[in-house]
Amino acid sequence: MSAPTQRVDARLKVTGAARYGADLTSPNLAHAVFAVSTIGKGRVVNVETAAAEAVPGVLMVLTRFDASDLGSPGFLMGHGYGFQSLQPLVDDRIAYRGQPIALVVADTLIAATEAANLIRADYEIEPIAVALDAEGAETLSQQEAIPLPFLADIVVGDAGAAFDASPVRIEATFDLPQQHQVPMELIGGVVGWRGDTLVVHEGTQNAGALRGGLARQLGLDPAKIEIISPYTGGGFGQKNSLQPHVGPLALASRRLGRPIKFVMPRTQTFHQASFRPASRQLVRLGADETGRLLAAVHEVDQQTSRHDLFPALYTEITSRLYGIGQFRGRHRLVRTDVQTPGFMRAPWEQAAAFAFESVVDEIAYALGQDPVALRLANDADVDPVTGQPFSSRHLAECLRRGADMFGWAGRTHEPGSMRGADGTQIGWGVASGAYPASIAPAVARLSAAADGKVTVGVDGHEMGQGIRTAIVRLISEDLSVAAEDVIVYVGDTRVAPQHLTAGSWGTATALQAVHAALRDLRKRLNVADSDPVDVEALVAATGQATVDVEATTVAPGQPPEIIEQSRAGLVSFAGPVYPGFTAFSFIAHFAEVRIEPTTRRIRVPRVVSVVDCGRVASPVTAVSQVRGGVVWGIGGALRERSEVDPRYGGFANATMEEYPIPVNADIGEVEVGFVDEPDLLLNPVGVKGLGEVSMVGVAAAIANAVFHATGRRHRRLPIRIEDVL
Amino acid sequence: MRPFSYTAPATVAEAVDALAASGPGTKILAGGTTLYDLMKLDIEAPAAVVDVHRLTEIAAIDTTDPGEFSFGAAARMADVADDPVLRRDFPALAESLAKAASQQLRNMATVGGNLLQRTRCGYFRGGPAFPCNKREPGSGCAALGGLDRGHAIFGGSDTCVATYPGDWAVALRAFDAVVDVIGPRGERTVAIADLHVEPGDTPQREHTLAGDELIVRIRVPVAPSSRGSTYHKIRDRESYAFALVSVAAGVAFDDQGAVEDCRIALGGVATLPWRCPAAEMVLTGERLTEESALRAGEAAFAGARPRAHNVFKIELGIRTVADALRIAGERAVR
Amino acid sequence: MTAIVRRSGGNPTNAPDGGLCLALGDMGSSEATLSSAIRTETAFTVNGLRVKMELDPRESLLDVLRERLGLTGTKKGCDHGQCGACTVHLDGRRIVSCLTPAVQVNGQAVTTIEGVAAPDGTLHPLQEAFIDNDALQCGYCTPGQVMSGLACIAEGHAGDDDEIREYLSGNLCRCGAYAGILAAVRETARRTDPRVGEG
């Protein structure tokens, strides 16, 4: 039996039959809409609800919950569950524009929306600081503000002195904008009660946090909460935690005795969820005359909110991209008047790689060296930070193979030296990327039935990356069962704790647990690990209808008890530094840009990306994931920027029209290669992460290509038409 | 959205009666892509809506008269964009439609309704968090001193600098189209040049039609430069975006190879479709070269009043005009 | 009425949807009441089946399909005509259902993603091509992409790669499945019309 080559849930998706959180319909649903703050900061003095309440069909208008009924969920990165610690609607404080001030529930969406629009409020307005350098923004040293080992500044040797002593030195400061995840599926779903059990249908990457967080907020027994999220319509970090609408909806639903559907308007998703924070990055890089990199300094100021400290981890990859003996990182956090920023695909790495890989390219040009050759010459043998070996590292192979696929040998070195017949400037750029290979605890419950069907429930969320397909492939190959006989439950707290699926650890985490369950099943069926299995016959021979096993796995070096933390819905992953080794995924991107001679539109007709993600668990979905990462990289390099008007706060271009994610016509050829070498030190299935590394370095490769085309370096993203006129 | 009454008259005559009978809070609904959208945003709140989008008697596309093309107001943008005669003989008009919005929206939106498309200024559409004289007269203009990258550098006032977002009207403006309207007081014809108005002190007033007047037809005289025309649109992405700068251009040459008919109008940079007679004059009687095209572009953007974040539109605009003229010139019969 | 509009699809195999109805089956019981706007009787067909209902003229076709007819394959991504996720066909032409007041479709024929596969579950060739080219990831934009792709081919706008890209640009895909979508539409167009070139 060969494993499936197609995405196993594709049929459901092309027929519209896949059910997302808000796809539940039932005649007794009520509908909810939030009215939101129009000011950037201050206090709400009075909320005028009479007009809203008078709208026919309106069931309730809630402006304030008792804090004892609706507590703080705690902050995801502070042993909590929420994208931020702040729970709206429990006091009069307004921390950012777009914060909810009232919840309207009505029989119909039309009535709820009409009523929400009629809500007016009086405010006491306070001055706001929404930019890194705004008056009133407060800058903190991260390692002093959050004294945790993994957030300490990375210091190896004396990089400052080594930089000063370097014969070739480049220093540059980069400004990176706020960006938003903008998954296609709007935040929301259906919240209701079945007896005294709270049932939430919502697209999420972290059903465990929804359960744990609601238990904490509402004082419920977690066993009386079910989170059901079989499909998430894109997450990209936005849906990695409990969001502040769910608790109020649960309370309103209990009061009404009806389930409530809530679909957050697109503009509100820009304000009621996280975003990629703004950052300013100073990079100093020193080299000798042969091109050996001697010292690197990488200092980052990153935006956070007033109420939470969203940590910064930019130097985690830049300290390891090359074998640089002397490195000094520094992270500072800048408190501003926004909702708490958070994770967006390659949250720090995308920005860090843009800054660092731009400077690496500049070093190559300062020395007259080929940018690929310089990178190859500076590959690392061991983790420069810990001195440990890497579990696997094939960055050099990515660079070599990528250069070959791209035809890099045909490149002429001089900027501006490649032109089309019409004067179009052509640039070819390269950049490396890396992303930590983390793993989280997981539980897999596997049931083999006498009819030959195999059912598995495991930690993991399907948000398009193809985790379900990877799981089916593993089981199908191992047990020689047809793909259609494998039934997978993910994103469902009824079958497993449902730890956060993010940070590119999802597939490795789930597969490791399923792999362990398969080993247990074989023991129960008395089949050696390498022997073929006839599930139907062997289960039937036991005389039972099913043979059930449950396996729990953790990351290398984690104590088994960590699973209890995961069962509580708390973030429990480990990596990239494990006892005895360090694990990262690696990638090399090669990009071609073409810049029009007159109106200067920048196009990216082709990209080649070669990835070292360990074993490729699901080839078809993996290619799609990398292509998607490249599309994100193109968007990040040339299009996306969340605009802020310092007078009003919030985000000004909070629509899918004004926040320009790439369209089909923006995307050319994207060729993907895999090293496909299993990393068996990291886990027995040999899988490292893929989703985020695929984006890391794309913006740098494009910016380096723009330099190659024009001779001009760019220190800000996105690079737009006015930057190259 | 506020409640409203809805009527869908079957004929133009019925529509006129419905408009005559209705009060001042009445709006005409065609494709819905602007009005219904703004109603969802609580920016438009009509008490009554008269739906004209299926009045087939005003949906005809007529490109058979070599002297004048005529488009029923209820014709869909997609259908006009795909008209083979228009694409061959008047590419600027076809392209202005094809490069607008998406095919789905072009299948919905009518060529009449599109003329009165309202601005995409984020402060206007953003609602009560922002002052906006267009949305709430007298409240102020958040774009002044704000995020003005997309705003107008022509035709603005100190109450409003919102850009007219459409493409079709820009192309029509370059070619002296007229608009036939009907209302309780009868029919009249309005030159496209007289349809839109600058914001001045009353940015809430965007055009010269009365509330009970219905656009029934758009007529465009076929000019010598119609065949040698283009609509060149520069955007932040390759498709499905409003213009940073767009140019409707047309040229025709005399026997000596000099330009005898030149048309230039701008989109994305002005508070209304912006014709550039001075730039047209630069080229008329001259040869079309890279250099003369750039001079025309410079003339088109002379007098621009950029704001903090849109100075680049001048240089971009000059080059877009030059490129548009080159494309048009290549299409022109010599 | 709501029961018959959905054509029976294949049963979910690898992807049980978590017992949606089961989980919420006995949650409360009161009937939703419509708010009191001026209602308009509207008759149209959806996937070939006749529908007649009293509509508030404010209701969008998208919300009527999803909330009142249970046709949830059509998705809401922006509700303002800026993403294409809600694309359906109206009298054979693609439109965005979010900016279509449902009363406007009186007398017309609506086709949604649920009406694309044959009644016996046989997929349309474009749906097959989406699967073969892995033209999707999270799947949320996919119904809109399929509806748009079908129309793109029918309109004759699938002549070459650039044309397909342009005419599918009204359907955003945040996962970035554009290469697969392009390939699926190109392949299907070529099967339908052999004159369509490589692009």
Side-chain angles (χ1 to χ4, degrees):
Chain A
M1 194 73 58
S2 64
T5 53
Q6 293 174 335
R7 186 180 294 270
V8 296
D9 48 18
R11 184 190 167 93
L12 287 174
K13 289 177 173 177
V14 301
T15 54
R19 295 284 207 106
Y20 300 81
D23 288 347
L24 186 74
T25 52
S26 121
N28 63 335
L29 281 180
H31 295 263
V33 176
F34 284 94
V36 300
S37 159
T38 56
I39 66 159
K41 187 181 186 180
R43 289 183 184 281
V44 58
V45 177
N46 175 53
V47 184
E48 184 48 62
T49 60
E53 284 162 351
V55 171
V58 167
L59 301 165
M60 54 171 63
V61 180
L62 301 167
T63 58
R64 195 66 54 84
F65 289 89
D66 197 305
S68 62
D69 293 335
L70 183 63
S72 165
F75 177 40
L76 182 72
M77 297 303 283
H79 217 67
Y81 302 96
F83 96 82
Q84 62 180 3
S85 60
L86 187 153
Q87 173 61 52
L89 301 177
V90 294
D91 60 24
D92 62 354
R93 192 160 53 103
I94 298 294
Y96 51 89
R97 183 162 69 77
Q99 181 180 322
I101 58 167
L103 170 64
V104 178
V105 186
D107 280 332
T108 64
L109 179 58
I110 283 284
T113 307
E114 178 189 353
N117 283 336
L118 292 171
I119 286 175
R120 293 289 178 269
D122 300 318
Y123 302 95
E124 280 172 13
I125 299 173
E126 296 170 20
I128 54 171
V130 289
L132 287 176
D133 47 8
E135 192 182 333
E138 184 193 357
T139 302
L140 310 167
S141 156
Q142 173 165 284
Q143 61 181 2
E144 288 169 20
I146 326 174
L148 292 173
F150 80 104
L151 296 178
D153 291 342
I154 292 176
V155 176
V156 182
D158 186 348
F163 174 79
D164 290 341
S166 297
V168 181
R169 295 184 297 274
I170 302 287
E171 172 175 335
T173 301
F174 297 82
D175 279 300
L176 281 298
Q178 291 134 322
Q179 295 176 328
H180 278 78
Q181 303 95 339
V182 200
M184 295 301 296
E185 181 195 29
L186 291 161
I187 291 167
V190 175
V191 177
W193 296 80
R194 190 184 63 238
D196 61 351
T197 298
L198 174 61
V199 182
V200 178
H201 293 268
E202 172 153 328
T204 180
Q205 302 170 239
N206 195 351
L210 264 67
R211 181 170 60 172
L214 288 166
R216 181 190 283 185
Q217 280 198 287
L218 308 178
L220 296 175
D221 175 358
K224 294 288 189 184
I225 302 174
E226 295 174 1
I227 313 297
I228 301 169
S229 185
Y231 298 98
T232 299
F236 313 115
Q238 187 198 58
K239 297 171 182 165
N240 69 358
S241 47
L242 175 61
Q243 305 204 0
H245 61 275
V246 189
L249 292 173
L251 293 175
S253 170
R254 187 161 61 187
R255 210 180 290 181
L256 269 182
R258 287 168 65 175
I260 299 176
K261 181 179 283 194
F262 170 69
V263 177
M264 191 182 287
R266 178 58 71 180
T267 291
Q268 290 189 12
T269 68
F270 283 78
H271 299 109
Q272 296 195 40
S274 71
F275 62 96
R276 190 195 302 281
S279 66
R280 183 163 298 149
Q281 317 222 357
L282 170 78
V283 177
R284 293 196 184 98
L285 196 55
D288 68 16
E289 292 89 345
T290 69
R292 193 163 61 89
L293 299 175
L294 301 174
V297 175
H298 188 185
E299 298 180 348
V300 185
D301 287 353
Q302 178 204 270
Q303 172 186 37
T304 187
S305 67
R306 296 281 182 198
H307 43 278
D308 295 307
L309 294 174
F310 176 62
L313 280 158
Y314 296 86
T315 59
E316 191 170 63
I317 64 157
T318 54
S319 58
R320 274 122 171 164
L321 273 177
Y322 301 104
I324 305 175
Q326 319 273 329
F327 186 93
R328 192 187 78 224
R330 189 196 71 187
H331 289 130
R332 298 194 305 182
L333 303 176
V334 183
R335 288 188 190 274
T336 58
D337 296 306
V338 289
Q339 78 267 32
T340 302
F343 296 87
M344 172 168 156
R345 195 174 197 170
W348 306 291
E349 297 77 9
Q350 185 257 5
F354 167 66
F356 202 81
E357 284 291 283
S358 293
V359 176
V360 169
D361 208 68
E362 211 162 330
I363 289 274
Y365 269 85
L367 289 162
Q369 289 197 8
D370 176 75
V372 174
L374 181 114
R375 285 172 168 86
L376 285 170
N378 283 284
D379 197 16
D381 300 327
V382 295
D383 174 6
V385 177
T386 62
Q388 300 192 128
F390 285 104
S391 57
S392 61
R393 179 182 171 109
H394 302 287
L395 176 58
E397 174 66 10
C398 295
L399 284 162
R400 279 192 213 100
R401 200 187 296 181
D404 194 41
M405 286 162 66
F406 191 79
W408 186 259
R411 179 181 186 265
T412 56
H413 182 79
E414 278 310 303
S417 60
M418 293 171 67
R419 291 202 176 226
D422 64 350
T424 293
Q425 293 177 319
I426 300 170
W428 288 3
V430 62
S432 307
Y435 193 85
S438 301
I439 293 187
V443 175
R445 288 160 62 190
L446 200 138
S447 175
D451 63 0
K453 291 202 189 308
V454 178
T455 304
V456 65
V458 62
D459 279 81
H461 300 77
E462 176 61 73
M463 53 252 199
Q465 81 277 42
I467 197 169
R468 197 177 261 121
T469 305
I471 293 167
V472 171
R473 281 178 59 84
L474 183 68
I475 294 172
S476 177
E477 267 173 9
D478 194 290
L479 300 180
S480 301
V481 290
E484 51 272 26
D485 288 335
V486 182
I487 299 153
V488 177
Y489 285 87
V490 289
D492 190 328
T493 56
R494 295 172 301 181
V495 301
Q498 300 306 342
H499 182 276
L500 167 63
T501 303
S504 293
W505 62 64
T507 300
T509 296
L511 291 192
Q512 167 173 286
V514 173
H515 177 266
L518 287 167
R519 302 278 77 70
D520 289 350
L521 179 71
R522 282 173 170 272
K523 277 192 201 114
R524 289 281 302 280
L525 298 176
N526 288 314
V527 187
D529 281 356
S530 51
D531 285 357
V533 185
D534 182 341
V535 172
E536 211 170 327
L538 288 169
V539 174
T542 66
Q544 296 165 308
T546 62
V547 175
D548 301 335
V549 294
E550 177 173 322
T552 300
T553 49
V554 299
Q558 279 190 320
E561 314 83 77
I562 191 75
I563 193 67
E564 295 311 318
Q565 186 175 320
S566 176
R567 282 188 202 282
L570 295 163
V571 173
S572 310
F573 71 94
V577 177
Y578 300 95
F581 62 88
T582 301
F584 280 82
S585 292
F586 297 94
I587 196 163
H589 297 285
F590 295 79
E592 174 173 322
V593 302
R594 288 175 174 253
I595 305 175
E596 288 183 315
T598 53
T599 47
R600 308 299 282 163
R601 283 176 290 190
I602 305 171
R603 278 136 177 171
V604 185
R606 66 191 185 106
V607 175
V608 168
S609 303
V610 180
V611 199
D612 163 21
C613 60
R615 188 170 78 84
V616 178
S618 168
V620 165
T621 58
V623 169
S624 293
Q625 225 179 342
V626 178
R627 283 181 173 159
V630 171
V631 172
W632 271 66
I634 293 170
L638 303 176
R639 303 273 182 271
E640 297 173 35
R641 174 189 181 88
S642 302
E643 304 282 358
V644 176
D645 185 326
R647 301 168 301 172
Y648 301 103
F651 294 96
N653 56 336
T655 66
M656 291 179 97
E657 167 189 331
E658 297 160 283
Y659 185 88
I661 72 172
V663 296
N664 203 316
D666 286 321
I667 304 305
E669 304 296 324
V670 180
E671 201 182 341
V672 177
F674 292 103
V675 175
D676 202 8
E677 287 284 342
D679 185 335
L680 295 170
L681 205 51
L682 185 61
N683 59 64
V685 284
V687 171
K688 300 194 281 188
L690 179 59
E692 320 212 25
V693 78
S694 61
M695 176 183 188
V696 180
V698 176
I702 289 171
N704 291 338
V706 170
F707 167 77
H708 184 234
T710 66
R712 192 162 150 206
R713 293 281 174 196
H714 293 272
R715 311 287 194 212
R716 290 183 313 164
L717 294 181
I719 305 168
R720 295 195 290 204
I721 208 161
E722 55 264 49
D723 301 312
V724 290
L725 268 177
Chain B
M1 203 183 305
R2 315 291 172 93
F4 58 90
S5 69
Y6 172 84
T7 51
T11 64
V12 170
E14 279 181 37
V16 171
D17 289 346
L19 288 167
S22 62
T26 302
K27 289 273 182 183
I28 299 169
L29 177 71
T33 57
T34 286
L35 179 64
Y36 187 57
D37 183 35
L38 290 173
M39 288 162 70
K40 283 187 162 195
L41 292 170
D42 206 34
I43 288 166
E44 295 267 18
V49 162
V50 177
D51 185 353
V52 301
H53 90 294
R54 280 158 76 190
L55 295 181
T56 48
E57 63 185 294
I58 54 166
I61 300 167
D62 186 351
T63 49
T64 56
D65 178 347
E68 182 184 85
F69 290 173
S70 165
F71 309 97
R76 297 296 187 273
M77 289 172 71
D79 292 331
V80 178
D82 273 351
D83 184 273
V85 176
L86 194 70
R87 288 170 56 150
R88 186 193 64 207
D89 292 347
F90 221 143
L93 296 188
E95 288 172 356
S96 75
L97 293 164
K99 292 179 181 178
S102 68
Q103 184 72 355
Q104 289 95 312
L105 292 164
R106 295 190 292 265
N107 274 334
M108 300 163 68
T110 63
V111 294
N114 183 253
L115 297 178
L116 305 184
Q117 184 179 9
R118 302 197 71 189
T119 185
R120 309 304 291 195
C121 171
Y123 298 112
F124 168 72
R125 292 174 58 88
F130 310 110
C132 171
N133 290 320
K134 189 185 279 295
R135 175 166 35 78
E136 204 170 322
S139 62
C141 173
L144 299 173
L147 299 169
D148 53 19
R149 179 172 181 266
H151 286 75
I153 58 177
F154 291 110
S157 71
D158 54 11
T159 69
C160 183
V161 287
T163 305
Y164 174 78
D167 298 298
W168 166 238
V170 173
L172 294 175
R173 181 77 181 84
F175 291 93
D176 300 317
V178 298
V179 176
D180 296 331
V181 302
I182 190 167
R185 295 165 300 284
E187 288 192 48
R188 67 184 181 112
T189 295
V190 183
I192 189 90
D194 298 326
L195 181 65
H196 300 92
V197 294
E198 292 186 16
D201 294 332
T202 54
Q204 70 277 19
R205 182 172 175 267
E206 294 169 359
H207 58 81
T208 56
L209 302 187
D212 57 5
E213 284 185 309
L214 173 68
I215 299 174
V216 291
R217 196 178 304 102
I218 297 154
R219 290 180 286 122
V220 196
V222 177
S225 56
S226 294
R227 189 179 276 256
S229 72
T230 189
Y231 190 78
H232 197 41
K233 184 176 181 183
I234 307 298
R235 302 170 261 193
D236 270 330
R237 57 187 181 192
E238 292 293 319
S239 183
Y240 200 17
F242 288 91
L244 290 169
V245 176
S246 63
V247 176
V251 289
F253 300 103
D254 65 17
D255 300 345
Q256 316 302 314
V259 173
E260 67 171 358
D261 182 22
C262 178
R263 310 294 181 113
I264 300 171
L266 308 177
V269 293
T271 56
L272 69 176
W274 194 259
R275 184 81 178 262
C276 304
E280 295 170 0
M281 287 294 292
V282 165
L283 274 186
T284 306
E286 289 226 19
R287 293 197 167 284
L288 176 61
T289 64
E290 203 173 305
E291 180 275 331
S292 67
L294 277 170
R295 267 195 291 123
E298 283 160 8
F301 281 85
R305 291 180 52 197
R307 312 198 60 83
H309 304 105
N310 61 15
V311 178
F312 77 97
K313 281 188 174 182
I314 295 176
E315 183 60 34
L316 178 62
I318 290 168
R319 298 182 194 186
T320 308
V321 168
D323 277 4
L325 288 166
R326 176 181 53 74
I327 296 164
E330 285 166 5
R331 290 174 179 171
V333 181
R334 286 185 191 250
Chain C
M1 170 189 59
T2 63
I4 55 168
V5 181
R6 177 187 294 279
R7 280 184 174 165
S8 58
N11 274 333
T13 51
N14 308 114
D17 61 6
L20 286 165
C21 298
L22 186 76
L24 284 169
D26 54 353
M27 289 181 1
S29 59
S30 65
E31 273 293 315
T33 53
L34 289 174
S35 64
S36 76
I38 307 131
R39 282 197 276 281
T40 304
E41 186 169 282
T42 308
F44 53 104
T45 68
V46 181
N47 302 330
L49 295 163
R50 256 184 260 175
V51 176
K52 193 182 209 181
M53 54 206 312
E54 292 272 312
L55 290 176
D56 182 325
R58 294 177 291 176
E59 290 180 85
S60 70
L61 178 60
L62 172 61
D63 286 337
V64 168
L65 290 171
R66 288 181 53 81
E67 306 301 335
R68 298 185 62 178
L69 299 176
L71 292 167
T72 55
T74 306
K75 301 301 185 207
K76 183 180 285 188
C78 71
D79 214 21
H80 289 281
Q82 299 169 355
C83 80
C86 67
T87 300
V88 299
H89 293 182
L90 186 59
D91 283 351
R93 294 157 64 103
R94 52 176 156 163
I95 59 156
V96 288
S97 56
C98 72
L99 288 188
T100 301
V103 290
Q104 275 200 325
V105 308
N106 189 38
Q108 292 186 280
V110 177
T111 307
T112 70
I113 189 68
E114 289 89 349
V116 171
D120 68 356
T122 304
L123 298 183
H124 185 281
L126 182 63
Q127 290 172 310
E128 292 283 5
F130 263 65
I131 297 173
D132 293 344
N133 290 282
D134 202 39
L136 60 129
Q137 292 185 43
C138 82
Y140 196 81
C141 74
T142 309
Q145 301 280 0
V146 170
M147 299 312 289
S148 213
L150 288 169
C152 177
I153 296 167
E155 290 156 6
H157 285 308
D160 60 33
D161 283 4
D162 284 347
E163 189 180 23
I164 295 170
R165 285 187 174 109
E166 168 62 30
Y167 278 85
L168 287 177
S169 282
N171 291 77
L172 304 186
C173 170
R174 186 52 157 166
C175 297
Y178 292 132
I181 295 165
L182 167 69
V185 173
R186 180 209 294 136
E187 191 178 297
T188 309
R190 211 182 295 145
R191 281 176 59 175
T192 318
D193 179 353
R195 288 169 304 170
V196 173
E198 272 282 346

